[in-house]
Amino acid sequence: MPSFEGFPKDCIPYLKKLAKNNNRKWFNDHKDDYENKVREPALAFIEAMGPEIHKISPYFKAVPKKVGGSLMRVYRDTRFSKDKTPYKTNIGIQFRHEAGKDVHAPGFYVHIEPGGCFIGAGIWHPESKVLRQIRDFIADNPSSWKKATRGAGFKRKWELRGDSLIRPPKGFDPEHELLADLKRKDFIAISENPEDIINSKNFIKTVGRSFKQTEALMSYLCMAVEQPF
């Protein structure tokens, strides 16, 4: 596999064209473009990120496989969606915890699409048992959660996002100081970046530094769900 030199300049233009021509014929007619401008550079990026991920934690994996690895599928699941367009018009890359088998596990994430790139860390849509574990842990260990998510260095570049309940979750004090966090259904931190950041080979170091800034959050979440960090 070639070394990572940055995503090609025509990666974003290709994704824009795919958004305008989101059908199987166009995609198949331009399959070489997908391979050369998206999949191959993404796999090179994933392989190069391996050592960066390992510096933070040996339990998160960079898997440069075309199918079943860190690169998320280009094909959309349209079974329950009104939008029946077949392809994703972004690049999604997740470095999951070794204990996780899907996107709902603790993980680091890179999202690339026209208009911007964001870097993420945390747990998205955890199942009910895991969600309860996280909420219990936050309720029992509020000071460590505040240190992980309220520090100046973290807040300068990161923002907690995701879905939340309207009302307090059952079994939790409605007057708890961290009620807004206890109502979360996602525990995801996001850092926004301009789209051209992906074109440099230094994107590896940029992402590695960004992931490092979430170390306290990720170790906290791993402890909450009883996984090593």
Side-chain angles (χ1 to χ4, degrees), residues 6-14 37 196 198-200:
F7 282 85
K9 298 282 188 181
D10 47 7
C11 173
I12 293 293
Y14 167 81
K37 300 172 183 179
D196 61 0
I198 71 170
N199 301 131
S200 170

Side-chain angles (χ1 to χ4, degrees), residues 8-156:
K9 298 282 188 181
D10 47 7
C11 173
I12 293 293
Y14 167 81
L15 294 175
K16 290 179 179 178
K17 291 175 183 176
L18 176 58
K20 292 180 179 179
N21 302 275
N22 199 330
N23 61 78
R24 288 179 175 82
K25 183 180 186 309
W26 188 91
F27 184 81
N28 289 331
D29 287 346
H30 297 81
K31 196 68 176 286
D32 288 345
D33 287 337
Y34 172 72
E35 292 292 335
N36 297 330
K37 300 172 183 179
V38 174
R39 184 146 69 174
E40 290 304 325
L43 294 176
F45 169 76
I46 292 165
E47 184 171 57
M49 278 300 301
E52 299 294 323
I53 298 290
H54 196 267
K55 289 176 187 176
I56 300 170
S57 167
Y59 298 101
F60 290 82
K61 304 302 178 183
V63 184
K65 293 168 57 179
K66 288 187 175 183
V67 178
S70 296
L71 178 63
M72 301 178 80
R73 285 165 51 88
V74 68
Y75 306 101
R76 296 182 62 249
D77 183 352
T78 61
R79 291 173 299 168
F80 309 109
S81 175
K82 292 181 180 179
D83 179 4
K84 297 301 182 183
T85 52
Y87 305 108
K88 297 173 186 174
T89 56
N90 62 71
I91 303 170
I93 297 169
Q94 190 184 46
F95 304 101
R96 290 195 292 270
H97 194 283
E98 65 178 14
K101 296 180 174 61
D102 57 32
V103 296
H104 308 287
F108 298 99
Y109 181 70
V110 174
H111 182 95
I112 298 168
E113 70 175 324
C117 165
F118 70 78
I119 300 168
I123 301 180
W124 180 75
H125 284 14
E127 61 183 30
S128 57
K129 177 186 175 183
V130 174
L131 180 58
R132 179 71 194 214
Q133 285 180 288
I134 297 171
R135 286 174 174 162
D136 283 340
F137 201 73
I138 291 174
D140 294 340
N141 302 276
S143 60
S144 297
W145 176 255
K146 286 189 286 187
K147 287 179 182 179
T149 61
R150 309 298 202 264
F154 181 89
K155 290 183 70 176
R156 187 163 52 249

